[in-house]
Amino acid sequence: MSSQSYYVGIDVGTGSVRATLVNKSGHVSAISTRDTKTWRDPTDSRIFEQSTADIWSAIGIVIHAVLKDAGVEPSQVKGLGFDATCSLAVADFEGEPVVVTKGERLGQHGERNVILWADHRAEKEADLINASGSIVLDYVGGTMSLEMEIPKILWLKNNMSPSLFSKCQFFDLPDFLTYRATHDTSRSCCSLTCKCSYVPNSGWQKDFFKRIGLQELSERDYTQIGVMEGEEVLIAGMPVGEGLSKKAAEELGLLPGTPVGSALIDAYAGWMGTVAARYKVNGELSDVIPSLEESGHRLAAVAGTSTCHIVQSPKGIFVPGVWGPYKDPIISGWWMNEGGQSSTGQLIDFILTNHPAYPEAVKISKEQGKNVHIFIQELLEQLRAENEVDSLTELTKDLHLYPDFHGLTFDLFCKDDAEEKLYTGNRSPIADPRMRGSVIGLELDNSLTSLCKQYHATLLAIALQTRHIIDTLNGSGHQVTSIFMSGGQARNTLLMQLFADVCCMPVVLPANSDQAVGLGAAMLGRLADAFGGRRMLEGEGGASGDVVEMTPPGMMIKPSCTQKEKKLLDAKYKIFLETIDIQKRWRKEIEEASK
């Protein structure tokens, strides 16, 4: 039996739980995934609810599975880390789940105790908060999203019996998982600052809670949201309590006392699992050793159905339309901003699947034994050659797509409601939920040629919007010089090259970039075990070195477009920005005409 040490990262996504078992070098020994359940309300499309009991059961199943698959004994697991979506979990002070479903059972004990991040029931509450003028708004780009936790808690207060509301504990889901694992109510700086209106350097804002009607939270010394005035807030990887409780250890198949690291929101775990990567250039490993200072120049793009963009800096930088700055979410003394695109991977799928030629593309790609994206990209190259143009940008130069379509669809986990849409518009850097997608330059053509051109225009639009976000970040004081990708989109080499060419900076694809979030969660377990989380938090070399050691080297994609294509891309970017201004102007003209 090997004496090697292992760490388990638990990633709780929107529709599934994934366990990643890694060793000290970051090698992934086993992965297991289990779907979770989401409840919808047939009469209210805004409602998305889950269950911590269902999630915890899935966590136990996937941990047992990875230990079995890798032949690893529980005693070899030296640390456990969690990341999760920023959903609101509600329990009483004994840890029993409390129902969040509107109706007669609201506030009673029951299974449906999670308001998923995607839930939009708290629209009125968010409007009230955004009209408050509070300092808390300065740290969320000026506008608080109804997906954050305080609007949802306020909705519960407005709809629940006061006697039941007073018995509730409210958790951002990552913190609930460490609570469930350790029975310790310590909260993470990541969740409190990013999603719960905990203001850097000054903590809870009593006047804010009174102004919006949540004065109970301050009157009860904030015990309902977990951190009393002056109590320690844990930074990423700091050990939670005494590690796994006896009950949790039995349920998960691990040993009692196994260290549990303070948790992260999923996108931040993606940052942690990517930005410490060294990289190869032309097959040779770069001699650049990642440092804390260097991390401030690396934008982590966690790209799947949507994309989150996270960058840190040694000082707080306020960026219009971008969440933050958040202090200490991962490293003590450092600040982070979070931007995002509401629909990226989902947009690509939408454009493809709604084109008349898509079934033909799927049929031919299957006959050729290829992924449909590879087939389309090969066909694009063939069209480029036939049209005697130098680049795909030139091939699609007269087709302009603006990417803020109606936001995300949740068919990934709402199998019975695949057409349900959540209207989110633009998240960053415009922060305008009313923005909508557009396509200019369409022809009377429903052929494979049209499909290929629209596909490329969509990829280019996503890259142009990424440049818009980076330009806004750098224009406000950040110094982003490279993009570190993770998630499924990192496998799309055409898109990655467009990112490099459009943004005029290298793109680094860490090894196993689709596993970066789980790797980041596993790192939390190692920090809790080896360093008590503290040396990294203080910026010392030891624990930071561990994160570098656990991040396998990746591959760098450099900008490679010609000067001719660069001129086209710059023109496309100018048109992209003009499209935003035109849409806003048209909207205003229509609103005035409708009065």
Side-chain angles (χ1 to χ4, degrees), residues 226-305:
V227 178
M228 295 185 290
E229 201 74 59
E231 192 175 6
E232 182 182 35
V233 180
L234 302 185
I235 302 175
M238 289 179 69
V240 180
E242 301 299 320
L244 278 182
S245 67
K246 181 179 179 181
K247 178 182 178 183
E250 291 174 351
E251 293 166 337
L252 302 184
L254 298 172
L255 298 185
T258 300
V260 175
S262 183
L264 288 172
I265 297 165
D266 48 5
Y268 288 79
W271 180 93
M272 195 163 182
T274 56
V275 296
R278 298 179 68 185
Y279 48 83
K280 295 178 181 178
V281 181
N282 299 324
E284 296 294 326
L285 188 63
S286 167
D287 57 4
V288 175
I289 304 298
S291 65
L292 193 56
E293 181 182 0
E294 170 63 21
S295 70
H297 303 297
R298 298 179 171 190
L299 178 77
V302 186
T305 302

Coordinates of all heavy atoms in Angstrom, one line a residue, residues 226-305:
G226 N -23.7 34.2 10.6 CA -22.6 33.4 11.0 C -21.4 34.0 11.6 O -20.6 33.3 12.3
V227 N -21.2 35.3 11.5 CA -20.0 36.0 12.0 C -20.4 37.1 12.9 O -20.9 38.1 12.4 CB -19.0 36.4 10.9 CG1 -17.8 37.1 11.6 CG2 -18.5 35.3 10.1
M228 N -20.2 37.0 14.2 CA -20.5 38.1 15.1 C -19.5 39.2 14.9 O -18.4 39.0 14.4 CB -20.6 37.6 16.5 CG -21.7 36.6 16.8 SD -21.8 36.2 18.6 CE -20.3 35.2 18.7
E229 N -19.9 40.4 15.3 CA -19.0 41.6 15.2 C -17.7 41.3 15.9 O -17.6 40.9 17.0 CB -19.7 42.8 15.9 CG -19.1 44.1 15.4 CD -19.6 44.5 14.1 OE1 -20.8 44.6 13.9 OE2 -18.8 44.7 13.2
G230 N -16.6 41.5 15.1 CA -15.2 41.2 15.6 C -14.8 39.8 15.6 O -13.6 39.5 15.9
E231 N -15.6 38.9 15.2 CA -15.2 37.5 15.1 C -14.4 37.2 13.8 O -14.5 37.9 12.8 CB -16.5 36.6 15.1 CG -16.2 35.1 15.2 CD -17.5 34.3 15.3 OE1 -18.6 34.9 15.1 OE2 -17.4 33.1 15.6
E232 N -13.5 36.2 13.9 CA -12.6 36.0 12.8 C -13.3 35.4 11.6 O -14.2 34.6 11.7 CB -11.5 35.0 13.2 CG -10.5 34.7 12.1 CD -9.5 33.6 12.5 OE1 -9.8 32.7 13.3 OE2 -8.3 33.8 12.0
V233 N -13.0 36.0 10.4 CA -13.5 35.4 9.1 C -12.3 34.7 8.5 O -11.2 35.2 8.4 CB -14.0 36.6 8.2 CG1 -14.5 36.0 6.9 CG2 -15.1 37.4 8.9
L234 N -12.6 33.5 8.0 CA -11.5 32.6 7.5 C -11.2 32.9 6.0 O -12.1 33.1 5.2 CB -11.9 31.1 7.6 CG -12.3 30.7 9.1 CD1 -12.5 29.2 9.1 CD2 -11.2 31.0 10.0
I235 N -9.9 32.9 5.7 CA -9.5 33.1 4.4 C -9.2 31.7 3.8 O -9.0 30.7 4.5 CB -8.2 34.0 4.3 CG1 -8.6 35.4 5.0 CG2 -7.7 34.3 2.9 CD1 -7.5 36.3 5.1
A236 N -9.2 31.6 2.5 CA -9.1 30.4 1.8 C -8.1 29.4 2.3 O -6.9 29.8 2.4 CB -8.9 30.6 0.3
G237 N -8.5 28.2 2.6 CA -7.6 27.2 3.1 C -7.3 27.1 4.6 O -6.7 26.2 5.1
M238 N -7.8 28.2 5.3 CA -7.6 28.1 6.8 C -8.5 26.9 7.3 O -9.5 26.7 6.8 CB -8.1 29.4 7.4 CG -7.1 30.6 7.2 SD -7.7 32.1 7.9 CE -7.5 31.7 9.7
P239 N -8.0 26.2 8.3 CA -8.7 25.0 8.8 C -10.0 25.4 9.5 O -10.0 26.4 10.2 CB -7.7 24.4 9.7 CG -6.8 25.5 10.2 CD -6.7 26.4 9.0
V240 N -11.1 24.7 9.2 CA -12.4 25.0 9.8 C -12.5 24.0 11.0 O -12.5 22.8 10.8 CB -13.5 24.7 8.8 CG1 -14.8 25.0 9.4 CG2 -13.3 25.6 7.5
G241 N -12.7 24.6 12.1 CA -13.0 23.8 13.3 C -11.9 22.8 13.6 O -10.7 23.0 13.4
E242 N -12.3 21.6 14.0 CA -11.4 20.5 14.3 C -11.4 19.5 13.1 O -11.0 18.3 13.4 CB -11.8 19.8 15.6 CG -11.8 20.7 16.8 CD -10.5 21.3 17.1 OE1 -9.5 20.5 16.9 OE2 -10.4 22.5 17.4
G243 N -11.8 19.9 12.0 CA -11.8 19.0 10.8 C -13.1 18.2 10.8 O -14.1 18.6 11.4
L244 N -13.1 17.1 10.0 CA -14.4 16.3 9.8 C -14.9 15.8 11.2 O -14.2 15.3 12.0 CB -14.1 15.1 8.9 CG -14.1 15.4 7.4 CD1 -13.9 14.0 6.7 CD2 -15.4 16.0 7.0
S245 N -16.2 16.1 11.4 CA -16.9 15.5 12.6 C -17.0 14.0 12.4 O -16.9 13.5 11.3 CB -18.2 16.1 12.7 OG -19.1 15.7 11.7
K246 N -17.3 13.3 13.5 CA -17.4 11.9 13.5 C -18.5 11.5 12.5 O -18.4 10.6 11.7 CB -17.6 11.3 14.9 CG -17.8 9.8 14.9 CD -18.0 9.3 16.3 CE -18.1 7.8 16.4 NZ -18.4 7.3 17.8
K247 N -19.7 12.2 12.6 CA -20.8 11.9 11.8 C -20.5 12.1 10.3 O -20.8 11.2 9.5 CB -22.0 12.7 12.2 CG -23.2 12.5 11.3 CD -24.4 13.5 11.8 CE -25.6 13.3 10.8 NZ -26.7 14.2 11.2
A248 N -19.9 13.2 10.0 CA -19.6 13.5 8.6 C -18.5 12.5 8.1 O -18.6 12.1 6.9 CB -19.1 15.0 8.5
A249 N -17.6 12.2 8.9 CA -16.5 11.2 8.4 C -17.2 9.9 8.1 O -16.8 9.3 7.1 CB -15.5 11.1 9.5
E250 N -18.1 9.4 8.9 CA -18.8 8.2 8.6 C -19.6 8.3 7.3 O -19.6 7.3 6.5 CB -19.7 7.8 9.8 CG -19.0 7.4 11.0 CD -20.0 7.3 12.2 OE1 -21.2 7.6 12.0 OE2 -19.5 6.8 13.3
E251 N -20.2 9.4 7.1 CA -21.0 9.5 5.9 C -20.1 9.6 4.6 O -20.6 9.2 3.5 CB -21.9 10.8 6.0 CG -22.9 10.7 7.1 CD -23.6 12.0 7.4 OE1 -22.9 13.1 7.2 OE2 -24.7 12.0 7.9
L252 N -19.0 10.2 4.7 CA -18.1 10.4 3.6 C -17.1 9.3 3.4 O -16.4 9.3 2.3 CB -17.4 11.8 3.7 CG -18.3 13.0 3.8 CD1 -17.4 14.3 3.8 CD2 -19.3 13.1 2.7
G253 N -16.9 8.5 4.3 CA -16.0 7.4 4.2 C -14.5 7.8 4.4 O -13.6 7.3 3.9
L254 N -14.4 8.9 5.2 CA -13.1 9.4 5.6 C -12.9 9.3 7.1 O -13.8 8.9 7.8 CB -12.9 10.9 5.1 CG -13.1 11.1 3.6 CD1 -13.1 12.6 3.2 CD2 -11.9 10.4 2.9
L255 N -11.7 9.8 7.6 CA -11.4 9.7 9.0 C -11.9 10.9 9.8 O -11.7 12.1 9.2 CB -9.9 9.5 9.2 CG -9.3 8.2 8.6 CD1 -7.8 8.1 9.0 CD2 -10.1 7.0 9.1
P256 N -12.4 10.8 11.0 CA -12.7 12.0 11.8 C -11.4 12.8 12.0 O -10.3 12.3 12.1 CB -13.2 11.4 13.1 CG -13.6 10.0 12.8 CD -12.7 9.5 11.7
G257 N -11.6 14.1 12.0 CA -10.5 15.0 12.2 C -9.7 15.3 10.9 O -8.8 16.2 10.9
T258 N -10.1 14.7 9.7 CA -9.5 15.1 8.5 C -9.6 16.6 8.3 O -10.7 17.1 8.3 CB -10.1 14.3 7.3 OG1 -10.0 12.9 7.5 CG2 -9.5 14.7 6.0
P259 N -8.5 17.3 8.0 CA -8.6 18.8 7.9 C -9.5 19.2 6.8 O -9.5 18.6 5.7 CB -7.1 19.2 7.6 CG -6.3 18.1 8.2 CD -7.1 16.8 8.0
V260 N -10.3 20.2 7.0 CA -11.2 20.8 6.1 C -10.8 22.3 5.9 O -10.8 23.0 6.8 CB -12.7 20.7 6.5 CG1 -13.6 21.4 5.5 CG2 -13.1 19.3 6.7
G261 N -10.5 22.7 4.6 CA -10.1 24.0 4.4 C -11.3 25.0 4.2 O -12.3 24.5 3.6
S262 N -11.2 26.2 4.6 CA -12.2 27.2 4.4 C -12.5 27.3 2.9 O -11.6 27.3 2.0 CB -11.8 28.5 4.9 OG -12.8 29.5 4.7
A263 N -13.8 27.3 2.5 CA -14.2 27.1 1.1 C -14.2 28.3 0.2 O -13.9 29.4 0.7 CB -15.7 26.6 1.2
L264 N -14.4 28.1 -1.0 CA -14.4 29.1 -2.1 C -15.7 29.0 -2.9 O -16.2 27.9 -3.1 CB -13.2 29.0 -3.0 CG -11.9 29.4 -2.4 CD1 -10.8 29.1 -3.4 CD2 -11.8 30.9 -2.1
I265 N -16.1 30.1 -3.5 CA -17.1 30.1 -4.5 C -16.5 29.4 -5.7 O -15.3 29.6 -6.0 CB -17.6 31.5 -4.8 CG1 -18.3 32.1 -3.6 CG2 -18.5 31.5 -6.0 CD1 -18.5 33.6 -3.7
D266 N -17.2 28.7 -6.6 CA -16.7 27.9 -7.6 C -15.7 28.6 -8.6 O -14.6 28.1 -8.9 CB -17.8 27.1 -8.4 CG -18.9 28.0 -8.9 OD1 -18.8 29.3 -8.7 OD2 -19.9 27.5 -9.4
A267 N -16.1 29.8 -9.0 CA -15.2 30.5 -9.9 C -13.9 30.8 -9.3 O -12.8 30.8 -10.0 CB -15.9 31.8 -10.4
Y268 N -13.9 31.1 -8.0 CA -12.6 31.5 -7.3 C -11.8 30.2 -7.1 O -10.5 30.3 -7.2 CB -12.9 32.1 -6.0 CG -13.5 33.5 -6.2 CD1 -14.8 33.7 -6.5 CD2 -12.7 34.6 -6.0 CE1 -15.3 35.0 -6.7 CE2 -13.1 35.9 -6.2 CZ -14.5 36.1 -6.6 OH -15.0 37.4 -6.8
A269 N -12.4 29.1 -7.0 CA -11.6 27.8 -7.0 C -11.0 27.6 -8.4 O -9.8 27.1 -8.5 CB -12.5 26.6 -6.7
G270 N -11.7 28.0 -9.5 CA -11.1 28.0 -10.8 C -9.9 28.9 -10.9 O -8.9 28.5 -11.5
W271 N -9.9 30.1 -10.3 CA -8.8 31.0 -10.3 C -7.6 30.3 -9.6 O -6.5 30.2 -10.1 CB -9.1 32.3 -9.5 CG -8.0 33.3 -9.4 CD1 -7.7 34.3 -10.3 CD2 -7.0 33.3 -8.4 NE1 -6.6 35.0 -9.8 CE2 -6.1 34.4 -8.7 CE3 -6.7 32.6 -7.2 CZ2 -5.1 34.8 -7.9 CZ3 -5.6 32.9 -6.4 CH2 -4.8 34.0 -6.8
M272 N -7.9 29.7 -8.4 CA -6.8 29.0 -7.6 C -6.2 27.9 -8.4 O -5.0 27.6 -8.2 CB -7.4 28.6 -6.3 CG -6.4 28.2 -5.2 SD -7.1 28.2 -3.6 CE -5.7 27.8 -2.6
G273 N -7.0 27.2 -9.1 CA -6.5 26.0 -9.8 C -5.8 26.3 -11.1 O -5.3 25.3 -11.8
T274 N -5.7 27.6 -11.5 CA -5.1 27.9 -12.8 C -3.9 28.9 -12.7 O -2.9 28.7 -13.4 CB -6.1 28.5 -13.8 OG1 -6.7 29.6 -13.2 CG2 -7.1 27.4 -14.2
V275 N -4.0 30.0 -11.9 CA -3.1 31.1 -12.1 C -1.7 30.8 -11.6 O -0.8 31.5 -12.0 CB -3.6 32.3 -11.4 CG1 -4.9 32.8 -12.0 CG2 -3.7 32.1 -9.9
A276 N -1.5 29.7 -10.9 CA -0.1 29.3 -10.5 C 0.6 28.4 -11.5 O 1.7 27.9 -11.2 CB -0.1 28.7 -9.1
A277 N 0.0 28.3 -12.7 CA 0.6 27.3 -13.6 C 1.8 27.9 -14.3 O 1.9 29.1 -14.7 CB -0.4 27.0 -14.7
R278 N 2.9 27.1 -14.4 CA 4.0 27.4 -15.4 C 3.4 27.0 -16.8 O 2.4 26.4 -16.9 CB 5.2 26.6 -15.0 CG 5.7 27.0 -13.6 CD 7.0 26.2 -13.3 NE 8.1 26.6 -14.1 CZ 9.3 26.0 -14.1 NH1 9.5 24.9 -13.3 NH2 10.3 26.3 -14.9
Y279 N 4.2 27.3 -17.8 CA 3.7 27.0 -19.1 C 4.8 26.7 -20.1 O 6.0 27.1 -19.9 CB 2.8 28.2 -19.7 CG 3.5 29.5 -19.6 CD1 4.4 30.0 -20.5 CD2 3.2 30.4 -18.5 CE1 5.1 31.2 -20.4 CE2 3.8 31.6 -18.4 CZ 4.7 32.0 -19.3 OH 5.4 33.3 -19.2
K280 N 4.4 26.0 -21.1 CA 5.4 25.6 -22.1 C 5.2 26.5 -23.4 O 4.1 26.8 -23.8 CB 5.1 24.1 -22.5 CG 5.4 23.1 -21.4 CD 5.1 21.7 -21.9 CE 5.4 20.7 -20.7 NZ 5.1 19.3 -21.1
V281 N 6.3 26.9 -23.9 CA 6.4 27.6 -25.2 C 7.2 26.8 -26.2 O 8.3 26.5 -25.9 CB 7.0 29.0 -25.0 CG1 7.0 29.8 -26.3 CG2 6.2 29.8 -23.9
N282 N 6.5 26.4 -27.3 CA 7.2 25.6 -28.3 C 7.7 24.3 -27.7 O 8.8 23.9 -28.0 CB 8.3 26.4 -29.0 CG 7.8 27.6 -29.7 OD1 6.7 27.6 -30.3 ND2 8.6 28.7 -29.7
G283 N 7.0 23.8 -26.7 CA 7.4 22.5 -26.1 C 8.4 22.6 -25.0 O 8.6 21.6 -24.3
E284 N 8.9 23.8 -24.7 CA 9.9 24.0 -23.7 C 9.2 24.8 -22.5 O 8.5 25.7 -22.7 CB 11.1 24.9 -24.2 CG 11.9 24.2 -25.3 CD 12.6 23.0 -24.8 OE1 13.0 23.0 -23.6 OE2 12.7 22.0 -25.6
L285 N 9.5 24.2 -21.3 CA 8.9 24.8 -20.1 C 9.6 26.2 -19.8 O 10.8 26.3 -19.7 CB 9.1 23.9 -18.9 CG 8.4 24.3 -17.6 CD1 6.9 24.3 -17.8 CD2 8.8 23.3 -16.5
S286 N 8.8 27.2 -19.6 CA 9.3 28.5 -19.4 C 10.0 28.6 -18.0 O 9.6 27.8 -17.1 CB 8.1 29.5 -19.3 OG 8.5 30.8 -18.8
D287 N 11.0 29.4 -17.9 CA 11.7 29.5 -16.6 C 11.1 30.5 -15.7 O 11.6 30.8 -14.6 CB 13.2 29.9 -16.9 CG 13.3 31.2 -17.7 OD1 12.3 31.8 -18.0 OD2 14.5 31.6 -18.0
V288 N 9.9 31.1 -16.1 CA 9.2 32.0 -15.2 C 8.5 31.2 -14.1 O 7.7 30.3 -14.4 CB 8.1 32.8 -16.0 CG1 7.3 33.7 -15.1 CG2 8.8 33.6 -17.1
I289 N 8.9 31.5 -12.9 CA 8.3 30.8 -11.7 C 7.1 31.7 -11.2 O 7.4 32.9 -10.9 CB 9.3 30.6 -10.6 CG1 10.5 29.8 -11.1 CG2 8.6 29.9 -9.4 CD1 10.1 28.4 -11.6
P290 N 5.9 31.2 -11.2 CA 4.8 32.1 -10.8 C 5.0 32.7 -9.4 O 5.5 32.0 -8.5 CB 3.6 31.1 -10.8 CG 4.0 30.1 -11.8 CD 5.5 29.9 -11.6
S291 N 4.7 33.9 -9.2 CA 4.9 34.6 -7.9 C 3.6 35.3 -7.6 O 2.7 35.4 -8.4 CB 6.0 35.6 -8.0 OG 5.6 36.7 -8.9
L292 N 3.5 35.7 -6.3 CA 2.3 36.4 -5.9 C 2.1 37.7 -6.7 O 1.0 38.0 -7.2 CB 2.4 36.8 -4.4 CG 1.1 37.3 -3.7 CD1 0.0 36.3 -3.8 CD2 1.5 37.5 -2.2
E293 N 3.2 38.4 -7.0 CA 3.2 39.6 -7.8 C 2.7 39.3 -9.2 O 1.9 40.0 -9.8 CB 4.5 40.3 -7.8 CG 4.5 41.6 -8.7 CD 5.9 42.2 -8.7 OE1 6.9 41.7 -8.1 OE2 6.0 43.3 -9.4
E294 N 3.2 38.2 -9.8 CA 2.8 37.9 -11.2 C 1.4 37.5 -11.3 O 0.7 37.8 -12.3 CB 3.7 36.7 -11.6 CG 3.3 36.0 -12.9 CD 3.4 36.9 -14.1 OE1 4.1 37.9 -14.1 OE2 2.7 36.7 -15.1
S295 N 0.8 37.0 -10.2 CA -0.6 36.6 -10.3 C -1.5 37.8 -10.6 O -2.6 37.6 -11.1 CB -1.1 35.9 -9.0 OG -1.1 36.9 -7.9
G296 N -1.1 39.0 -10.2 CA -1.9 40.2 -10.4 C -2.0 40.6 -11.9 O -2.8 41.4 -12.3
H297 N -1.2 39.9 -12.8 CA -1.2 40.2 -14.2 C -1.9 39.1 -15.0 O -2.0 39.2 -16.2 CB 0.2 40.3 -14.7 CG 1.0 41.4 -14.1 ND1 0.7 42.7 -14.1 CD2 2.2 41.3 -13.3 CE1 1.6 43.4 -13.4 NE2 2.5 42.6 -12.9
R298 N -2.4 38.1 -14.2 CA -3.1 37.0 -14.9 C -4.6 37.0 -14.6 O -5.0 36.9 -13.5 CB -2.5 35.7 -14.3 CG -1.0 35.5 -14.6 CD -0.4 34.2 -14.1 NE 0.9 34.0 -14.5 CZ 1.6 32.8 -14.4 NH1 1.0 31.8 -13.7 NH2 2.8 32.7 -14.9
L299 N -5.3 37.1 -15.7 CA -6.8 37.0 -15.6 C -7.2 35.6 -15.7 O -6.9 34.9 -16.7 CB -7.4 37.8 -16.7 CG -9.0 37.8 -16.8 CD1 -9.5 38.7 -15.7 CD2 -9.5 38.2 -18.1
A300 N -7.9 35.1 -14.7 CA -8.5 33.7 -14.8 C -9.8 33.8 -15.4 O -10.7 34.5 -14.9 CB -8.5 33.1 -13.4
A301 N -10.0 33.1 -16.5 CA -11.3 33.0 -17.2 C -11.8 31.6 -17.0 O -11.3 30.6 -17.5 CB -11.2 33.4 -18.6
V302 N -12.9 31.5 -16.2 CA -13.5 30.2 -15.9 C -14.7 30.0 -16.8 O -15.7 30.7 -16.6 CB -13.9 30.0 -14.4 CG1 -14.4 28.6 -14.1 CG2 -12.7 30.4 -13.5
A303 N -14.5 29.3 -17.9 CA -15.5 29.3 -19.0 C -16.2 28.0 -19.2 O -15.6 27.0 -19.5 CB -14.7 29.7 -20.3
G304 N -17.5 28.1 -19.1 CA -18.4 27.0 -19.4 C -19.7 27.5 -20.1 O -19.6 28.1 -21.2
T305 N -20.8 27.2 -19.5 CA -22.1 27.8 -20.0 C -22.0 29.3 -20.1 O -22.4 29.9 -21.0 CB -23.3 27.3 -19.2 OG1 -23.3 25.9 -19.2 CG2 -24.6 27.9 -19.7

